[in-house]
């Protein structure tokens, strides 16, 4: 049986193949949008197909629904097979390298006979690519760094891929009679943007019952290791999960140890030594007397060292231990502090849900406001709004606002910072919006001076209140454009422009350490999910994780403010 992921992959492949054969870009994009819709659907495609409800999914029309039904029923899709006759799957694979579009991939395949990523790497290193039309030494450099990016991307998973699964596994353990406590640990508990493997810890006096429950979970594809108190599994989605079972009295010290980071633990052990104490995964001990001081809870351990409790997101040896000793830790922001989402898209540009649907979901999430920041005119491929669209959308927003209580939809826009640093629309139109983001959507390959000239001009533009996804990176797919972070942060501080913490799981842009530097300069930040459908609105938690890792407090983030204060705080 095919999963939603499998079907989404076929749709993405079709989109890529259509691009290679030179199809209309809107059709290409329609397939990628449908893929995303299937991938993030809460219902199983098999069920939807059986009940003839596939068209309930945003971006899935009647003809696509028919093809998906054929695929889930028979395991085959004639349309897909036909395309595969025209386009070698080898070219598709080459296209997965960032920056290698369909034309270049096809050229490399046709001219150099390159069919695998390894051969591509050889060709780039052997300087055999620069002689081809339209290629240069720079192309070779980009290919080499692109392959590195993809390879590290395959070794680590996005936080959003690990988090839901780990949560489910932990909940299943907690519901088991022999389990007293269970949590995830490691980089996942610290909410790092990518995760190497998932570490889970449980407290029990009967470890065998726990490991046996764990290794027979429905999500297990293969048991990699099974010992008395430990087990490792590979899930059906290809993730590795390690479980350790400890005695309840040692749970706190084990959780502290396995949460890490390794650097935080090393620093903590040094401090303990200087205080005549010893810390390990079994507890905290007085060295002189050998007496065990604690270890049942994490709080006990930090308290025994006269340290304030540190949220896991802070445990990176970035000064948190000194701050905990001095009682100067920040009161980091929580999801509950966020009063609205400041980057979202609707069917008025390339989003898949209506204004009303987005507003309803935002209200369910407990928000006070929601900024609909549909794309601006010049981004044609993303359905950027014409001035007529803006007027029509405004009417819809007004209607939704008058009809619905408990949520205010803000009339927002995501403007394009063009090659010269200018933006869409006349001042008369710009003035109409409540929230204006500016973002770079083109010219990613420009040299640093030009990128910075654009960003500087945009920040100096009085209409741009927030720079969206300021570095343009896509984790595992695209490196940031060549941005001078210091200059960006100084510019934001000088012009009163806020910077976005984009919460979309493969963006997380600004990233944690940049956001922390921004705070030090007094730059305000704005959380936005970049939602293109209602289900994406729940990605806010990943943006909040970045904010917490950046030591941000509610006052550092404009959308923790009530509506009036927000509008006053935006430039
Ligand atoms: P990952 O999986 O690469 O995303 O990163 P972590 O932090 O989850 O690392 P992992 O899975 O190797 O180990 C989990 C935790 O166990 C780690 O955060 C801290 C602790 N740990 C592992 N190895 C060591 C070590 O050599 N020394 C110390 N002090 N702690 C360690
Ligand atoms: Ca780990
Ligand atoms: Ca591990
Ligand atoms: Zn968009």
């Amino acid at each position: 049986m095919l999963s939603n992921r499998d079907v989404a992959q076929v749709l993405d492949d079709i989109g890529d193949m259509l691009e290679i054969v030179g199809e209309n870009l809107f059709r290409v994009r329609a397939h990628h949008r449908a893929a995303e819709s299937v991938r993030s659907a809460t219902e199983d495609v098999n069920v939807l197909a059986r009940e003839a409800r596939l068209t309930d999914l945003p971006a899935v029309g009647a003809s696509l629904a028919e093809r998906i039904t054929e695929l889930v029923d028979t395991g085959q899709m004639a349309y897909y097979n036909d395309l595969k006759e025209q386009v070698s799957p080898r070219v598709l694979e080459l296209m997965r390298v960032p920056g290698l579009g369909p034309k270049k991939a096809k050229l490399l395949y046709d001219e150099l006979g390159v069919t695998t990523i390894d051969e591509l790497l050889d060709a780039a290193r052997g300087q055999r690519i620069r002689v081809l039309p339209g290629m240069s030494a720079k192309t070779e450099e980009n290919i080499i760094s692109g392959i590195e990016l993809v390879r590290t991307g395959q070794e680590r998973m996005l936080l959003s891929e690990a988090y839901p699964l780990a949560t489910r596994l932990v909940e299943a353990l907690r519901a088991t009679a022999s389990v007293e406590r269970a949590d995830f640990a490691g980089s996942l508990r610290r909410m790092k943007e990518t995760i190497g493997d998932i570490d889970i810890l449980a407290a029990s006096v009967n470890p065998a019952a726990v490991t046996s429950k764990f290794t027979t979970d429905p999500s297990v594809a293969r048991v990699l290791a099974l010992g008395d108190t430990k087990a490792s599994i590979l899930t059906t989605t290809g993730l590795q999960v390690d479980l350790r079972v400890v005695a309840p009295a040692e749970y706190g010290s084990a959780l502290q140890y396995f949460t890490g980071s390794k650097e935080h633990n090393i620093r903590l052990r040094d401090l303990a030594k200087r205080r005549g104490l010893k810390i390990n995964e079994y507890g905290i001990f007085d060295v002189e007397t050998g007496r065990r001081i604690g270890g049942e809870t994490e709080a006990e351990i930090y308290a025994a060292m006269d340290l304030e409790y540190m949220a896991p997101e802070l445990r990176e040896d970035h000064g948190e231990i000194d701050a905990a000793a001095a009682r100067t830790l920040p009161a980091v922001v929580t999801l509950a502090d966020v009063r609205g989402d400041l980057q979202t898209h609707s069917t008025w540009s390339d989003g898949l849900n209506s204004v009303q649907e987005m507003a309803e979901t935002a209200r369910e999430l407990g928000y006070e406001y929601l900024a609909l920041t549909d794309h601006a005119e010049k981004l044609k491929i993303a359905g950027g709004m014409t001035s007529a669209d803006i007027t029509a959308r405004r009417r819809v927003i007004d209607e939704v606002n008058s009809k619905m209580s408990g949520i205010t939809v803000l009339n927002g826009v995501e403007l394009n910072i063009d090659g010269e640093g200018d933006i869409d629309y006349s001042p008369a139109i710009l003035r109409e919006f409540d929230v204006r983001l500016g973002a770079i959507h083109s010219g990613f390959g420009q040299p640093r001076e030009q990128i910075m000239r654009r960003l500087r001009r945009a920040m100096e533009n009085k209409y741009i209140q927030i720079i969206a996804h300021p570095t343009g990176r896509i984790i595992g797919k695209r490196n940031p454009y060549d941005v001078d972070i210091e200059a960006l942060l100084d510019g934001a501080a000088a012009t009163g422009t806020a910077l976005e913490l984009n919460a979309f799981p493969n963006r997380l842009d600004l990233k944690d350490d940049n956001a922390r530097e921004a705070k030090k300069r007094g730059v305000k930040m704005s959380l936005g999910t970049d939602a293109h459908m209602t289900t994406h609105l729940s990605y806010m938690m990943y943006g909040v994780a970045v904010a917490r890792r950046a030591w941000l407090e509610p006052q550092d983030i404009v959308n923790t403010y009530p509506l009036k204060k927000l509008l006053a705080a935006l430039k």
Side-chain angles (χ1 to χ4, degrees), residues 302-369:
Y302 289 119
M305 297 196 39
D306 198 21
L307 294 173
E308 240 181 312
Y309 180 80
M310 283 157 269
E313 292 93 331
L314 303 183
R315 302 183 197 169
E316 297 291 349
D317 188 26
H318 289 167
E320 71 279 5
I321 293 177
D322 287 345
R327 300 287 185 272
T328 56
L329 280 173
V332 288
V333 64
T334 68
L335 185 56
D337 294 319
V338 178
R339 292 178 194 248
D341 195 323
L342 292 185
Q343 183 175 174
T344 71
H345 303 262
S346 73
T347 46
W348 288 96
S349 60
D350 59 349
L352 302 183
N353 289 100
S354 67
V355 173
Q356 164 106 21
E357 287 163 345
M358 294 296 280
E360 278 167 5
T361 304
R363 189 170 59 179
E364 279 161 27
L365 291 172
Y367 288 151
E368 290 174 29
Y369 47 83

Side-chain angles (χ1 to χ4, degrees), residues 62-115:
S63 67
L64 211 51
E66 207 172 293
R67 287 184 189 141
I68 296 172
T69 307
E70 177 195 349
L71 179 66
V72 298
D73 283 353
T74 67
Q76 300 286 324
M77 187 199 291
Y79 182 69
Y80 180 50
N81 295 343
D82 287 350
L83 275 169
K84 280 199 288 191
E85 304 258 296
Q86 296 175 57
V87 180
S88 164
R90 302 293 199 184
V91 180
L92 266 194
E93 193 180 325
L94 296 182
M95 256 182 83
R96 306 250 143 84
V97 175
L100 213 55
K103 285 206 194 83
K104 282 185 183 160
K106 195 162 178 310
L107 189 70
L108 290 166
Y109 174 71
D110 291 344
E111 296 296 318
L112 297 180
V114 166
T115 61

Side-chain angles (χ1 to χ4, degrees), residues 452-501:
M452 291 317 295
R453 196 161 350 113
R454 294 165 74 185
L455 285 170
R456 207 170 313 114
R457 256 181 84 81
M459 290 190 286
E460 282 163 4
N461 188 315
K462 67 175 179 180
Y463 293 106
I464 294 186
Q465 299 160 322
I466 300 164
I467 300 291
H469 40 72
T471 76
R473 71 138 174 201
I474 311 269
I475 298 172
K477 286 222 173 80
R478 186 170 78 204
N479 283 316
Y481 37 74
D482 195 356
V483 50
D484 176 345
I485 290 287
E486 305 271 311
L488 172 75
L489 303 184
D490 289 341
T495 57
T497 309
L499 297 177
E500 184 180 68
L501 291 189

Side-chain angles (χ1 to χ4, degrees), residues 156 186-187 190 195-197 199 257-260 262 265 269:
R156 299 184 68 81
S187 52
R190 304 197 312 280
I195 307 295
D197 68 353
D199 303 287
Y257 179 87
F258 289 112
T259 295
K262 194 172 158 186
N265 287 353
R269 278 201 305 263

